[in-house]
Amino acid sequence: MTRGDRVRTFLRTTAVVAAAGLALSACAASDRETDDGEGTTAEAGRDTFIFAASSDPASLDPAFANDGESFRVARNIFEGLVGVEPGTADPAPLLAEDWEVSDDGLEYTFFLKEGVSFHDGTPFDADAVCANFDRWNSFTGVLQSESLSYYWQKVNGGFASSDVESLDGTGKYQSCETSDDLTAVITMQSPLPEFISALSLPSFSMQSPTAMEEYGADDVGGDASAPLLPEYATAHPTGTGPYMFESWTRGQQVVLTGNPDYWGEQGQIQRVVFTIISDATARRQALQAGDIDGYDLVGPADVEALEAEGFQIVDREPFNILYLGMNQANPELADLRVRQAIAHAINKEALVAQTLPEGTEVATNFVPPSVAGWSSEVETYDFDQDRARELLAEAGKSDLTIEFNYPTNVSRPYMPTPEQVFQSISADLEEVGITVVPVPEPWNPEYLDRMQGTADHGLHLLGWTGDYNDTYNFIGVFFGAQSMEWGFDDSELFEMINEGRYQTSVEDQTAAYEAANVAILERLPGVPLAHPVPSLAFTQVVRDYPASPVQDEVYNVIRLED
Protein backbone atom coordinates (compact mmCIF):
# COMPACT_ATOMS: atom_id res chain seq x y z
CA MET A 1 0.00 0.00 0.00
CA THR A 2 4.66 3.64 -3.60
CA ARG A 3 2.12 3.18 -1.27
CA GLY A 4 1.80 1.96 0.89
CA ASP A 5 -1.91 1.01 0.90
CA ARG A 6 -2.76 2.00 4.45
CA VAL A 7 -4.58 5.30 4.26
CA ARG A 8 -5.34 5.33 0.60
CA THR A 9 -9.12 5.43 0.71
CA PHE A 10 -9.18 8.64 -1.33
CA LEU A 11 -7.89 6.68 -4.30
CA ARG A 12 -10.99 4.54 -4.23
CA THR A 13 -13.16 7.42 -5.42
CA THR A 14 -11.44 7.22 -8.80
CA ALA A 15 -11.72 3.46 -9.38
CA VAL A 16 -12.47 2.50 -12.98
CA VAL A 17 -14.35 -0.59 -14.05
CA ALA A 18 -12.63 -3.08 -16.31
CA ALA A 19 -14.99 -2.38 -19.19
CA ALA A 20 -13.79 1.19 -19.31
CA GLY A 21 -10.21 -0.05 -19.56
CA LEU A 22 -11.10 -2.37 -22.46
CA ALA A 23 -12.70 0.52 -24.32
CA LEU A 24 -9.45 2.44 -24.33
CA SER A 25 -7.59 0.51 -27.00
CA ALA A 26 -8.82 2.74 -29.80
CA CYS A 27 -7.99 5.80 -27.71
CA ALA A 28 -4.47 4.53 -27.09
CA ALA A 29 -3.95 3.67 -30.71
CA SER A 30 -4.87 7.21 -31.74
CA ASP A 31 -1.95 8.53 -29.68
CA ARG A 32 0.42 6.70 -32.03
CA GLU A 33 -1.01 8.29 -35.18
CA THR A 34 -0.73 11.70 -36.84
CA ASP A 35 -2.62 13.24 -39.74
CA ASP A 36 -0.47 13.29 -42.89
CA GLY A 37 -2.42 16.23 -44.33
CA GLU A 38 -4.37 14.12 -46.80
CA GLY A 39 -7.04 12.79 -44.48
CA THR A 40 -5.15 9.60 -43.66
CA THR A 41 -2.98 8.75 -40.71
CA ALA A 42 0.64 7.69 -40.44
CA GLU A 43 2.52 6.28 -37.47
CA ALA A 44 3.95 9.05 -35.33
CA GLY A 45 7.65 9.36 -34.62
CA ARG A 46 8.77 7.31 -31.66
CA ASP A 47 8.65 10.13 -29.17
CA THR A 48 5.45 8.97 -27.43
CA PHE A 49 5.51 6.48 -24.56
CA ILE A 50 2.16 4.90 -23.60
CA PHE A 51 1.97 3.24 -20.21
CA ALA A 52 -1.10 1.51 -18.77
CA ALA A 53 -1.94 2.69 -15.26
CA SER A 54 -4.25 0.64 -13.06
CA SER A 55 -6.37 3.64 -12.03
CA ASP A 56 -6.67 7.39 -12.23
CA PRO A 57 -4.33 9.38 -10.01
CA ALA A 58 -6.05 10.51 -6.83
CA SER A 59 -4.54 13.99 -7.16
CA LEU A 60 -2.17 15.79 -9.50
CA ASP A 61 -0.94 17.78 -6.50
CA PRO A 62 1.49 15.32 -4.87
CA ALA A 63 1.15 17.03 -1.49
CA PHE A 64 -2.41 15.61 -1.46
CA ALA A 65 -1.47 12.14 -2.69
CA ASN A 66 -0.37 8.89 -1.12
CA ASP A 67 -1.11 6.34 -3.85
CA GLY A 68 1.15 4.75 -6.42
CA GLU A 69 -0.69 5.96 -9.52
CA SER A 70 -0.58 9.60 -8.36
CA PHE A 71 3.11 9.23 -7.59
CA ARG A 72 3.77 7.62 -11.00
CA VAL A 73 2.51 10.77 -12.72
CA ALA A 74 4.02 13.15 -10.14
CA ARG A 75 7.57 11.84 -10.52
CA ASN A 76 7.53 12.93 -14.18
CA ILE A 77 6.10 16.41 -13.53
CA PHE A 78 7.77 17.29 -10.23
CA GLU A 79 11.12 17.00 -8.51
CA GLY A 80 12.12 17.29 -4.87
CA LEU A 81 15.22 18.50 -3.12
CA VAL A 82 16.22 14.86 -2.73
CA GLY A 83 15.88 11.98 -5.19
CA VAL A 84 17.17 8.42 -5.05
CA GLU A 85 20.19 6.68 -6.50
CA PRO A 86 19.05 4.92 -9.70
CA GLY A 87 17.95 1.35 -9.02
CA THR A 88 18.03 1.77 -5.24
CA ALA A 89 16.01 3.30 -2.40
CA ASP A 90 18.97 5.35 -1.16
CA PRO A 91 18.67 9.17 -1.11
CA ALA A 92 20.62 11.23 -3.65
CA PRO A 93 20.86 14.91 -4.65
CA LEU A 94 18.21 16.26 -7.03
CA LEU A 95 17.14 19.92 -6.87
CA ALA A 96 19.48 20.24 -3.91
CA GLU A 97 23.00 19.56 -5.16
CA ASP A 98 24.23 19.00 -1.64
CA TRP A 99 23.26 19.48 2.00
CA GLU A 100 24.76 19.76 5.44
CA VAL A 101 23.27 18.61 8.74
CA SER A 102 24.29 20.22 12.02
CA ASP A 103 25.83 18.06 14.73
CA ASP A 104 22.69 18.32 16.86
CA GLY A 105 20.48 17.18 13.94
CA LEU A 106 18.35 20.32 14.07
CA GLU A 107 19.56 22.34 11.08
CA TYR A 108 19.59 21.24 7.44
CA THR A 109 21.29 23.52 4.92
CA PHE A 110 20.37 22.78 1.29
CA PHE A 111 22.51 24.09 -1.57
CA LEU A 112 20.25 24.37 -4.59
CA LYS A 113 20.81 23.68 -8.26
CA GLU A 114 21.29 26.88 -10.26
CA GLY A 115 19.33 27.84 -13.37
CA VAL A 116 16.17 25.80 -12.69
CA SER A 117 12.68 27.14 -13.40
CA PHE A 118 9.19 25.82 -12.84
CA HIS A 119 7.06 25.06 -15.88
CA ASP A 120 5.36 28.48 -15.61
CA GLY A 121 8.71 30.31 -15.66
CA THR A 122 8.85 30.97 -11.92
CA PRO A 123 12.46 30.62 -10.74
CA PHE A 124 13.24 27.70 -8.48
CA ASP A 125 15.16 29.24 -5.59
CA ALA A 126 15.39 29.24 -1.81
CA ASP A 127 12.22 31.33 -1.50
CA ALA A 128 10.32 28.67 -3.42
CA VAL A 129 11.69 25.96 -1.10
CA CYS A 130 10.52 27.85 1.98
CA ALA A 131 7.11 28.53 0.39
CA ASN A 132 6.58 24.78 -0.05
CA PHE A 133 7.68 23.81 3.47
CA ASP A 134 5.63 26.58 5.05
CA ARG A 135 2.64 25.53 2.96
CA TRP A 136 2.74 21.94 4.23
CA ASN A 137 3.17 22.99 7.83
CA SER A 138 0.32 25.53 7.60
CA PHE A 139 -2.35 23.16 6.32
CA THR A 140 -5.59 23.62 8.26
CA GLY A 141 -9.05 22.06 8.36
CA VAL A 142 -9.77 19.41 5.76
CA LEU A 143 -6.20 19.72 4.43
CA GLN A 144 -5.00 18.01 7.61
CA SER A 145 -7.00 14.85 6.92
CA GLU A 146 -4.91 11.72 6.38
CA SER A 147 -6.49 11.17 2.97
CA LEU A 148 -4.74 14.39 1.86
CA SER A 149 -1.65 15.33 3.89
CA TYR A 150 -0.82 11.79 4.97
CA TYR A 151 2.93 11.96 4.51
CA TRP A 152 3.55 15.39 6.02
CA GLN A 153 1.58 14.31 9.05
CA LYS A 154 3.33 10.95 9.38
CA VAL A 155 6.87 12.18 8.77
CA ASN A 156 6.69 15.60 10.43
CA GLY A 157 4.24 14.59 13.16
CA GLY A 158 1.95 17.61 13.10
CA PHE A 159 1.18 21.10 11.85
CA ALA A 160 1.74 24.68 12.96
CA SER A 161 -1.76 24.61 14.42
CA SER A 162 -4.60 22.12 14.56
CA ASP A 163 -7.90 21.43 16.29
CA VAL A 164 -6.44 18.01 17.06
CA GLU A 165 -4.26 18.37 20.15
CA SER A 166 -1.79 15.68 19.08
CA LEU A 167 -1.13 17.58 15.82
CA ASP A 168 -1.14 21.16 17.16
CA GLY A 169 2.38 22.56 17.05
CA THR A 170 3.85 19.13 17.70
CA GLY A 171 5.62 18.69 14.37
CA LYS A 172 9.38 18.47 13.97
CA TYR A 173 9.51 21.33 11.45
CA GLN A 174 10.18 24.76 12.91
CA SER A 175 11.17 27.16 10.14
CA CYS A 176 12.74 27.72 6.73
CA GLU A 177 15.05 30.63 6.03
CA THR A 178 17.03 31.78 2.98
CA SER A 179 20.65 32.81 3.40
CA ASP A 180 20.87 33.55 -0.35
CA ASP A 181 18.94 32.69 -3.51
CA LEU A 182 20.41 29.19 -3.69
CA THR A 183 20.65 28.29 0.00
CA ALA A 184 17.68 27.22 2.14
CA VAL A 185 18.06 26.40 5.83
CA ILE A 186 15.46 24.15 7.46
CA THR A 187 15.39 24.20 11.26
CA MET A 188 13.75 21.40 13.23
CA GLN A 189 12.36 21.53 16.76
CA SER A 190 13.86 18.12 17.50
CA PRO A 191 15.91 15.61 15.50
CA LEU A 192 14.33 13.63 12.68
CA PRO A 193 17.02 11.28 11.31
CA GLU A 194 14.82 9.99 8.46
CA PHE A 195 14.27 13.54 7.14
CA ILE A 196 16.61 13.34 4.13
CA SER A 197 15.31 9.93 3.03
CA ALA A 198 11.71 11.07 3.46
CA LEU A 199 12.28 14.09 1.21
CA SER A 200 12.61 11.69 -1.73
CA LEU A 201 8.84 11.10 -1.51
CA PRO A 202 6.80 12.76 -4.30
CA SER A 203 4.59 14.28 -1.58
CA PHE A 204 7.49 16.60 -0.79
CA SER A 205 8.06 17.73 -4.37
CA MET A 206 8.79 21.38 -5.07
CA GLN A 207 5.84 23.17 -6.67
CA SER A 208 5.56 26.62 -8.22
CA PRO A 209 4.40 29.13 -5.58
CA THR A 210 3.02 31.30 -8.40
CA ALA A 211 0.85 28.55 -9.88
CA MET A 212 -0.33 27.36 -6.47
CA GLU A 213 -1.55 30.86 -5.64
CA GLU A 214 -3.07 31.51 -9.06
CA TYR A 215 -5.07 28.27 -9.13
CA GLY A 216 -5.99 28.02 -5.43
CA ALA A 217 -3.93 24.98 -4.52
CA ASP A 218 -5.20 24.98 -0.93
CA ASP A 219 -8.86 25.70 -1.72
CA VAL A 220 -10.01 22.17 -0.97
CA GLY A 221 -13.74 21.75 -0.43
CA GLY A 222 -15.87 18.97 1.03
CA ASP A 223 -14.77 17.14 4.14
CA ALA A 224 -12.19 14.57 5.21
CA SER A 225 -14.26 11.64 3.93
CA ALA A 226 -14.92 13.24 0.53
CA PRO A 227 -12.52 16.13 -0.22
CA LEU A 228 -13.13 18.19 -3.35
CA LEU A 229 -9.85 19.07 -5.01
CA PRO A 230 -9.23 22.57 -6.39
CA GLU A 231 -8.36 23.54 -9.95
CA TYR A 232 -4.62 23.34 -9.28
CA ALA A 233 -4.76 19.67 -8.27
CA THR A 234 -6.85 18.65 -11.27
CA ALA A 235 -5.65 20.84 -14.14
CA HIS A 236 -2.57 22.94 -13.31
CA PRO A 237 0.16 20.95 -11.52
CA THR A 238 3.38 22.89 -11.99
CA GLY A 239 6.81 21.48 -11.19
CA THR A 240 10.37 21.52 -12.51
CA GLY A 241 10.42 18.02 -14.03
CA PRO A 242 11.08 16.86 -17.60
CA TYR A 243 7.35 16.72 -18.41
CA MET A 244 4.54 19.24 -18.19
CA PHE A 245 0.87 18.52 -17.65
CA GLU A 246 -1.32 18.62 -20.77
CA SER A 247 -4.63 16.96 -19.92
CA TRP A 248 -6.50 14.52 -17.70
CA THR A 249 -9.59 12.73 -18.99
CA ARG A 250 -10.87 10.88 -15.95
CA GLY A 251 -11.20 7.16 -16.45
CA GLN A 252 -9.30 7.35 -19.73
CA GLN A 253 -5.88 8.95 -19.68
CA VAL A 254 -3.40 11.51 -18.36
CA VAL A 255 -1.19 13.17 -20.97
CA LEU A 256 2.16 14.90 -20.35
CA THR A 257 4.38 16.75 -22.82
CA GLY A 258 8.11 17.42 -22.80
CA ASN A 259 9.42 20.43 -20.91
CA PRO A 260 11.47 22.38 -23.51
CA ASP A 261 13.28 24.30 -20.77
CA TYR A 262 14.17 21.33 -18.61
CA TRP A 263 17.48 21.78 -16.80
CA GLY A 264 18.51 18.16 -17.30
CA GLU A 265 18.48 15.63 -20.11
CA GLN A 266 15.36 16.05 -22.19
CA GLY A 267 15.59 12.66 -23.87
CA GLN A 268 13.72 11.07 -26.75
CA ILE A 269 10.30 10.81 -25.10
CA GLN A 270 8.40 14.06 -25.63
CA ARG A 271 4.91 12.81 -24.92
CA VAL A 272 3.75 10.47 -22.16
CA VAL A 273 0.28 8.96 -22.12
CA PHE A 274 -0.92 7.15 -19.00
CA THR A 275 -3.83 5.06 -20.28
CA ILE A 276 -6.17 3.99 -17.48
CA ILE A 277 -6.90 0.24 -17.61
CA SER A 278 -8.07 -1.12 -14.28
CA ASP A 279 -8.30 -4.80 -15.21
CA ALA A 280 -5.06 -6.79 -15.25
CA THR A 281 -6.20 -8.99 -18.13
CA ALA A 282 -7.16 -5.94 -20.16
CA ARG A 283 -3.71 -4.43 -19.55
CA ARG A 284 -2.05 -7.59 -20.84
CA GLN A 285 -4.32 -7.64 -23.88
CA ALA A 286 -3.56 -3.98 -24.63
CA LEU A 287 0.15 -4.80 -24.62
CA GLN A 288 -0.37 -7.79 -26.88
CA ALA A 289 -2.46 -5.66 -29.25
CA GLY A 290 0.25 -3.00 -29.47
CA ASP A 291 -1.96 -0.32 -27.92
CA ILE A 292 0.48 0.37 -25.07
CA ASP A 293 4.23 0.19 -24.62
CA GLY A 294 4.16 -1.27 -21.12
CA TYR A 295 2.37 -1.86 -17.85
CA ASP A 296 2.97 -2.62 -14.19
CA LEU A 297 1.70 -5.25 -11.75
CA VAL A 298 2.15 -8.17 -14.14
CA GLY A 299 0.70 -11.35 -12.66
CA PRO A 300 3.15 -14.25 -12.19
CA ALA A 301 1.07 -16.42 -14.50
CA ASP A 302 1.44 -13.84 -17.29
CA VAL A 303 5.21 -13.41 -17.00
CA GLU A 304 6.22 -16.68 -18.66
CA ALA A 305 3.56 -16.39 -21.38
CA LEU A 306 4.52 -12.82 -22.27
CA GLU A 307 8.21 -13.71 -22.38
CA ALA A 308 7.40 -16.60 -24.71
CA GLU A 309 5.62 -14.15 -27.00
CA GLY A 310 8.71 -11.94 -27.16
CA PHE A 311 7.76 -9.24 -24.70
CA GLN A 312 10.26 -7.88 -22.19
CA ILE A 313 9.83 -8.51 -18.47
CA VAL A 314 11.58 -6.03 -16.20
CA ASP A 315 11.76 -6.81 -12.48
CA ARG A 316 12.06 -4.31 -9.67
CA GLU A 317 14.27 -5.11 -6.72
CA PRO A 318 11.89 -6.17 -3.92
CA PHE A 319 11.40 -3.39 -1.37
CA ASN A 320 8.25 -4.73 0.22
CA ILE A 321 6.75 -7.23 2.63
CA LEU A 322 3.83 -9.65 2.28
CA TYR A 323 2.56 -10.80 5.66
CA LEU A 324 -0.13 -12.81 7.40
CA GLY A 325 -1.71 -10.58 10.04
CA MET A 326 -3.13 -12.09 13.25
CA ASN A 327 -5.66 -9.86 15.02
CA GLN A 328 -5.22 -10.38 18.77
CA ALA A 329 -8.59 -8.73 19.45
CA ASN A 330 -9.95 -12.02 18.12
CA PRO A 331 -10.01 -14.33 21.20
CA GLU A 332 -8.77 -17.28 19.16
CA LEU A 333 -5.54 -15.41 18.36
CA ALA A 334 -4.83 -13.80 21.73
CA ASP A 335 -2.71 -16.74 22.93
CA LEU A 336 0.91 -16.46 21.73
CA ARG A 337 1.12 -20.24 21.43
CA VAL A 338 -1.67 -20.24 18.85
CA ARG A 339 0.13 -17.57 16.82
CA GLN A 340 3.37 -19.55 17.08
CA ALA A 341 1.56 -22.69 15.91
CA ILE A 342 0.22 -20.85 12.87
CA ALA A 343 3.71 -19.56 12.05
CA HIS A 344 5.24 -23.05 12.30
CA ALA A 345 2.45 -24.52 10.16
CA ILE A 346 3.23 -22.40 7.09
CA ASN A 347 5.64 -23.73 4.48
CA LYS A 348 7.03 -20.40 3.26
CA GLU A 349 9.40 -22.01 0.76
CA ALA A 350 6.53 -23.81 -0.96
CA LEU A 351 4.36 -20.69 -0.78
CA VAL A 352 6.99 -18.66 -2.61
CA ALA A 353 7.71 -21.37 -5.19
CA GLN A 354 4.05 -22.00 -6.00
CA THR A 355 2.40 -18.58 -5.83
CA LEU A 356 4.94 -15.74 -6.12
CA PRO A 357 7.23 -14.44 -8.89
CA GLU A 358 10.62 -15.97 -9.56
CA GLY A 359 13.29 -14.29 -7.45
CA THR A 360 10.99 -13.70 -4.48
CA GLU A 361 12.74 -14.00 -1.11
CA VAL A 362 11.31 -15.71 1.96
CA ALA A 363 10.85 -13.11 4.73
CA THR A 364 11.95 -13.40 8.34
CA ASN A 365 11.56 -9.72 9.37
CA PHE A 366 8.87 -7.15 8.64
CA VAL A 367 11.52 -5.19 6.72
CA PRO A 368 13.53 -6.23 3.64
CA PRO A 369 17.14 -7.32 4.23
CA SER A 370 18.38 -4.19 2.37
CA VAL A 371 17.05 -1.90 5.11
CA ALA A 372 19.30 -1.04 8.06
CA GLY A 373 17.77 -2.56 11.18
CA TRP A 374 16.94 -5.93 9.61
CA SER A 375 18.08 -8.55 12.10
CA SER A 376 19.44 -12.05 11.63
CA GLU A 377 18.67 -12.73 15.31
CA VAL A 378 14.88 -12.85 15.04
CA GLU A 379 12.90 -16.00 15.81
CA THR A 380 12.15 -17.53 12.41
CA TYR A 381 9.45 -20.11 13.29
CA ASP A 382 10.71 -22.66 10.79
CA PHE A 383 8.25 -24.97 9.04
CA ASP A 384 7.46 -27.68 11.60
CA GLN A 385 3.90 -28.96 11.56
CA ASP A 386 4.47 -31.39 14.43
CA ARG A 387 5.55 -28.44 16.60
CA ALA A 388 2.47 -26.55 15.42
CA ARG A 389 0.20 -29.36 16.60
CA GLU A 390 2.00 -29.48 19.98
CA LEU A 391 1.54 -25.74 20.52
CA LEU A 392 -2.17 -25.92 19.63
CA ALA A 393 -2.59 -28.78 22.13
CA GLU A 394 -0.75 -26.80 24.83
CA ALA A 395 -3.08 -23.86 24.22
CA GLY A 396 -6.16 -26.09 24.30
CA LYS A 397 -6.93 -25.21 20.68
CA SER A 398 -6.55 -28.51 18.87
CA ASP A 399 -9.98 -27.97 17.31
CA LEU A 400 -9.39 -24.32 16.37
CA THR A 401 -11.69 -22.70 13.82
CA ILE A 402 -10.60 -19.30 12.53
CA GLU A 403 -11.77 -16.82 9.90
CA PHE A 404 -9.24 -15.99 7.22
CA ASN A 405 -9.75 -12.69 5.37
CA TYR A 406 -8.19 -12.15 1.96
CA PRO A 407 -8.80 -9.65 -0.86
CA THR A 408 -10.24 -10.32 -4.29
CA ASN A 409 -10.14 -8.43 -7.58
CA VAL A 410 -6.72 -6.94 -6.90
CA SER A 411 -3.05 -7.39 -7.70
CA ARG A 412 -0.52 -5.59 -5.53
CA PRO A 413 3.29 -5.48 -5.94
CA TYR A 414 3.67 -7.45 -2.71
CA MET A 415 0.69 -9.73 -3.41
CA PRO A 416 0.09 -10.33 -7.13
CA THR A 417 -2.25 -13.34 -6.59
CA PRO A 418 -4.03 -13.09 -3.21
CA GLU A 419 -6.33 -16.03 -3.82
CA GLN A 420 -3.43 -18.38 -4.51
CA VAL A 421 -1.57 -17.23 -1.40
CA PHE A 422 -4.73 -17.79 0.66
CA GLN A 423 -5.17 -21.30 -0.75
CA SER A 424 -1.56 -22.28 -0.02
CA ILE A 425 -1.62 -21.06 3.58
CA SER A 426 -5.09 -22.49 4.23
CA ALA A 427 -3.94 -25.95 3.10
CA ASP A 428 -1.01 -25.77 5.54
CA LEU A 429 -3.27 -24.72 8.42
CA GLU A 430 -5.81 -27.42 7.67
CA GLU A 431 -2.96 -29.95 7.75
CA VAL A 432 -2.30 -29.20 11.45
CA GLY A 433 -5.98 -29.35 12.37
CA ILE A 434 -7.04 -25.71 12.03
CA THR A 435 -10.40 -25.24 10.32
CA VAL A 436 -10.22 -22.21 8.07
CA VAL A 437 -13.34 -20.16 7.32
CA PRO A 438 -12.65 -18.21 4.11
CA VAL A 439 -13.72 -14.54 4.11
CA PRO A 440 -13.03 -13.14 0.64
CA GLU A 441 -13.81 -9.46 0.11
CA PRO A 442 -13.30 -7.02 -2.77
CA TRP A 443 -10.21 -4.92 -2.25
CA ASN A 444 -11.95 -1.71 -3.13
CA PRO A 445 -13.30 -0.50 -0.76
CA GLU A 446 -14.35 -3.15 1.75
CA TYR A 447 -11.12 -4.98 2.45
CA LEU A 448 -8.86 -2.22 3.76
CA ASP A 449 -11.70 -0.63 5.70
CA ARG A 450 -12.34 -3.88 7.55
CA MET A 451 -8.68 -4.75 8.17
CA GLN A 452 -7.59 -1.34 9.40
CA GLY A 453 -10.77 0.30 10.60
CA THR A 454 -12.51 -2.46 12.55
CA ALA A 455 -11.76 -5.36 14.89
CA ASP A 456 -13.94 -7.64 12.75
CA HIS A 457 -11.28 -9.90 11.26
CA GLY A 458 -9.05 -12.80 12.23
CA LEU A 459 -6.18 -13.92 10.01
CA HIS A 460 -5.63 -11.64 7.06
CA LEU A 461 -3.31 -11.07 4.12
CA LEU A 462 -1.80 -7.64 3.59
CA GLY A 463 1.52 -6.02 2.82
CA TRP A 464 3.49 -2.86 2.24
CA THR A 465 5.82 -1.37 -0.33
CA GLY A 466 8.38 0.90 1.29
CA ASP A 467 8.25 4.61 0.52
CA TYR A 468 11.88 5.36 1.31
CA ASN A 469 14.87 3.62 2.85
CA ASP A 470 14.14 3.78 6.56
CA THR A 471 13.16 1.06 9.01
CA TYR A 472 10.45 3.16 10.65
CA ASN A 473 8.69 3.38 7.30
CA PHE A 474 8.00 -0.33 7.75
CA ILE A 475 7.77 -1.31 11.42
CA GLY A 476 6.72 2.15 12.60
CA VAL A 477 3.82 2.11 10.16
CA PHE A 478 2.81 -1.33 11.41
CA PHE A 479 3.66 -1.36 15.10
CA GLY A 480 4.50 2.18 16.21
CA ALA A 481 1.17 2.62 17.98
CA GLN A 482 -2.00 0.74 18.82
CA SER A 483 -3.90 -0.32 15.72
CA MET A 484 -7.14 -2.13 14.94
CA GLU A 485 -5.34 -4.21 12.36
CA TRP A 486 -3.25 -6.04 14.98
CA GLY A 487 -5.50 -5.68 18.02
CA PHE A 488 -2.87 -5.37 20.77
CA ASP A 489 -1.59 -2.61 23.04
CA ASP A 490 2.09 -3.00 23.94
CA SER A 491 3.58 0.25 25.25
CA GLU A 492 7.02 -1.33 25.65
CA LEU A 493 7.19 -2.29 21.98
CA PHE A 494 5.77 1.02 20.81
CA GLU A 495 8.38 2.85 22.88
CA MET A 496 11.23 0.72 21.49
CA ILE A 497 10.24 1.51 17.92
CA ASN A 498 9.68 5.22 18.45
CA GLU A 499 12.86 5.69 20.46
CA GLY A 500 14.76 4.03 17.64
CA ARG A 501 13.26 6.50 15.19
CA TYR A 502 14.97 9.49 16.78
CA GLN A 503 18.46 8.11 17.40
CA THR A 504 20.82 10.56 15.71
CA SER A 505 23.70 8.09 15.44
CA VAL A 506 23.37 5.66 12.54
CA GLU A 507 24.97 2.93 14.62
CA ASP A 508 22.66 3.54 17.58
CA GLN A 509 19.59 3.67 15.37
CA THR A 510 20.49 0.47 13.56
CA ALA A 511 21.04 -1.33 16.86
CA ALA A 512 17.74 0.00 18.23
CA TYR A 513 15.82 -1.17 15.18
CA GLU A 514 17.49 -4.59 15.22
CA ALA A 515 16.38 -4.98 18.84
CA ALA A 516 12.86 -3.83 17.92
CA ASN A 517 12.65 -6.39 15.11
CA VAL A 518 13.67 -9.13 17.52
CA ALA A 519 10.99 -7.96 19.97
CA ILE A 520 8.34 -7.89 17.23
CA LEU A 521 8.98 -11.49 16.24
CA GLU A 522 8.99 -12.59 19.89
CA ARG A 523 5.50 -11.13 20.25
CA LEU A 524 4.51 -12.40 16.77
CA PRO A 525 1.63 -10.08 15.79
CA GLY A 526 1.84 -11.57 12.32
CA VAL A 527 3.96 -13.77 10.10
CA PRO A 528 6.30 -12.09 7.59
CA LEU A 529 5.96 -14.25 4.50
CA ALA A 530 7.92 -12.94 1.55
CA HIS A 531 9.50 -10.06 -0.35
CA PRO A 532 7.96 -10.57 -3.82
CA VAL A 533 9.60 -9.28 -6.99
CA PRO A 534 7.26 -6.86 -8.82
CA SER A 535 7.30 -7.25 -12.60
CA LEU A 536 6.62 -4.88 -15.49
CA ALA A 537 6.08 -5.88 -19.12
CA PHE A 538 7.11 -3.95 -22.25
CA THR A 539 7.21 -4.28 -25.99
CA GLN A 540 10.59 -4.95 -27.58
CA VAL A 541 11.03 -1.32 -28.66
CA VAL A 542 11.41 -0.05 -25.07
CA ARG A 543 14.99 0.43 -23.90
CA ASP A 544 16.52 1.58 -20.61
CA TYR A 545 13.37 1.51 -18.50
CA PRO A 546 14.56 2.87 -15.09
CA ALA A 547 13.09 0.20 -12.81
CA SER A 548 13.22 1.37 -9.21
CA PRO A 549 12.38 -0.44 -5.96
CA VAL A 550 10.49 2.69 -4.83
CA GLN A 551 9.01 3.33 -8.31
CA ASP A 552 11.15 6.43 -8.87
CA GLU A 553 10.74 5.99 -12.62
CA VAL A 554 11.13 9.10 -14.80
CA TYR A 555 10.65 8.58 -18.50
CA ASN A 556 13.14 11.03 -20.03
CA VAL A 557 15.79 8.29 -19.87
CA ILE A 558 13.73 5.77 -21.89
CA ARG A 559 14.59 5.08 -25.52
CA LEU A 560 12.24 3.58 -28.11
CA GLU A 561 13.90 1.62 -30.90
CA ASP A 562 11.88 0.02 -33.68
Side-chain angles (χ1 to χ4, degrees), residues 326-448:
M326 297 188 283
N327 175 23
Q328 293 175 46
N330 184 313
E332 303 292 0
L333 295 170
D335 191 318
L336 175 60
R337 292 169 297 184
V338 172
R339 302 197 301 277
Q340 291 172 335
I342 290 170
H344 280 298
I346 299 171
N347 187 341
K348 293 183 187 179
E349 297 284 353
L351 174 73
V352 166
Q354 296 167 8
T355 71
L356 295 170
E358 184 177 352
T360 293
E361 301 174 16
V362 169
T364 60
N365 289 221
F366 279 90
V367 299
S370 60
V371 177
W374 180 92
S375 173
S376 61
E377 302 300 318
V378 300
E379 176 63 56
T380 56
Y381 303 97
D382 296 335
F383 179 55
D384 186 340
Q385 293 195 325
D386 288 337
R387 180 59 180 151
R389 296 184 186 96
E390 291 172 2
L391 286 162
L392 289 171
E394 290 174 15
K397 298 289 185 179
S398 295
D399 58 349
L400 177 65
T401 298
I402 190 71
E403 291 188 344
F404 191 156
N405 300 77
Y406 66 97
T408 60
N409 304 323
V410 71
S411 179
R412 307 304 302 152
Y414 52 78
M415 186 169 53
T417 56
E419 292 91 343
Q420 291 181 24
V421 174
F422 162 77
Q423 290 165 3
S424 176
I425 294 175
S426 293
D428 287 340
L429 298 183
E430 296 275 0
E431 187 67 25
V432 301
I434 298 174
T435 300
V436 172
V437 180
V439 186
E441 286 187 293
W443 175 261
N444 194 3
E446 290 90 345
Y447 191 74
L448 282 179

Side-chain angles (χ1 to χ4, degrees), residues 6 24 71 116 145 156 162 201 203 229 364 367 380 447 475 480 509:
R6 296 193 171 270
L24 289 171
F71 285 172
V116 178
S145 64
N156 183 57
S162 176
L201 281 166
S203 293
L229 294 178
T364 60
V367 299
T380 56
Y447 191 74
I475 64 173
Q509 186 175 67

Side-chain angles (χ1 to χ4, degrees), residues 195-266:
F195 184 56
I196 294 297
S197 291
L199 289 182
S200 66
L201 281 166
S203 293
F204 303 137
S205 299
M206 294 291 104
Q207 307 194 51
S208 167
T210 304
M212 289 192 292
E213 181 177 359
E214 181 177 357
Y215 298 107
D218 294 345
D219 297 338
V220 177
D223 55 30
S225 63
L228 301 175
L229 294 178
E231 185 179 5
Y232 178 82
T234 58
H236 296 283
T238 308
T240 63
Y243 298 99
M244 304 186 299
F245 175 76
E246 179 179 296
S247 63
W248 178 13
T249 305
R250 289 181 183 270
Q252 295 185 27
Q253 63 182 19
V254 177
V255 180
L256 312 181
T257 57
N259 174 10
D261 300 316
Y262 184 52
W263 60 267
E265 178 186 355
Q266 202 170 45

Side-chain angles (χ1 to χ4, degrees), residues 275-329:
T275 297
I276 314 302
I277 308 178
S278 63
D279 180 70
T281 300
R283 290 196 296 273
R284 187 196 72 229
Q285 292 171 343
L287 182 74
Q288 293 168 320
D291 295 333
I292 62 174
D293 293 305
Y295 74 100
D296 204 349
L297 303 177
V298 181
D302 291 331
V303 168
E304 186 174 345
L306 287 171
E307 282 186 313
E309 293 176 34
F311 293 98
Q312 299 182 77
I313 300 298
V314 176
D315 292 333
R316 291 194 182 97
E317 288 294 322
F319 194 66
N320 55 31
I321 179 67
L322 167 64
Y323 60 77
L324 176 73
M326 297 188 283
N327 175 23
Q328 293 175 46

